Amino acid sequence: MLMSLVGIPWLAGGRDEAGIDCVGLALLAQKRLWGRHYPWPHDYIPGRDTDQEEAIYSWLPSIAEPCDGPEVGGLVVMLLSVAGQPFGHIGTIVDTGRMLHTSPGGSSRVARFSGAYRRRTRGFFRAREEKT
């Protein structure tokens, strides 16, 4: 099931296999891997990526609780940078030490959650058990 979420091209505002952004991938992973369905109440506004971090933080309390560290099935929020421009980013912890995520110019992938990702982490969240 996890591998079906790898290799999806990045697309701003994307929410399915045709193209996906980090929020769309987090939503899809929660649904497919853990049976949780969460709404995303915001629109993606290209060119306003720093607002994405604010949107993520305003949304998270409705679906998750802060926790002290990475947990399988949980979410991690980071502040990353592409071409010197910061942007809010969210990934899903899929197992010990690895997360599923995507970012501009790439495709969805599983990456080790260490180094630069860990240094740029803003918070960890335990997803609530809401089923569809």
Side-chain angles (χ1 to χ4, degrees):
M1 194 66 83
L2 174 60
M3 293 315 291
S4 70
L5 297 172
V6 172
I8 302 170
W10 188 87
L11 176 67
R15 295 293 180 261
D16 58 33
E17 290 83 359
I20 207 155
D21 63 16
C22 65
V23 169
L25 184 60
L27 291 169
L28 192 57
Q30 290 297 317
K31 185 175 182 179
R32 288 215 185 139
L33 300 177
W34 291 282
R36 303 173 188 133
H37 183 272
Y38 303 118
W40 174 250
H42 305 285
D43 290 326
Y44 182 87
I45 303 169
R48 295 187 55 198
D49 292 330
T50 54
D51 290 344
Q52 193 78 347
E53 184 181 26
E54 289 177 31
I56 290 168
Y57 271 117
S58 71
W59 167 66
L60 275 171
S62 71
I63 66 147
E65 314 259 340
C67 58
D68 292 332
E71 295 182 6
V72 174
L75 301 163
V76 56
V77 176
M78 296 166 276
L79 187 61
L80 301 182
S81 163
V82 170
Q85 295 298 311
F87 67 96
H89 185 63
I90 190 167
T92 303
I93 303 297
V94 294
D95 60 34
T96 303
R98 297 187 322 152
M99 70 175 175
L100 176 69
H101 75 117
T102 190
S103 55
S107 60
S108 59
R109 62 199 172 278
V110 175
R112 293 183 71 64
F113 183 69
S114 60
Y117 292 127
R118 191 168 282 279
R119 285 191 301 276
R120 293 183 175 119
T121 295
R122 298 289 197 232
F124 297 101
F125 297 85
R126 179 181 303 117
R128 288 196 191 97
E129 295 298 323
E130 296 180 356
K131 305 284 183 180
T132 58

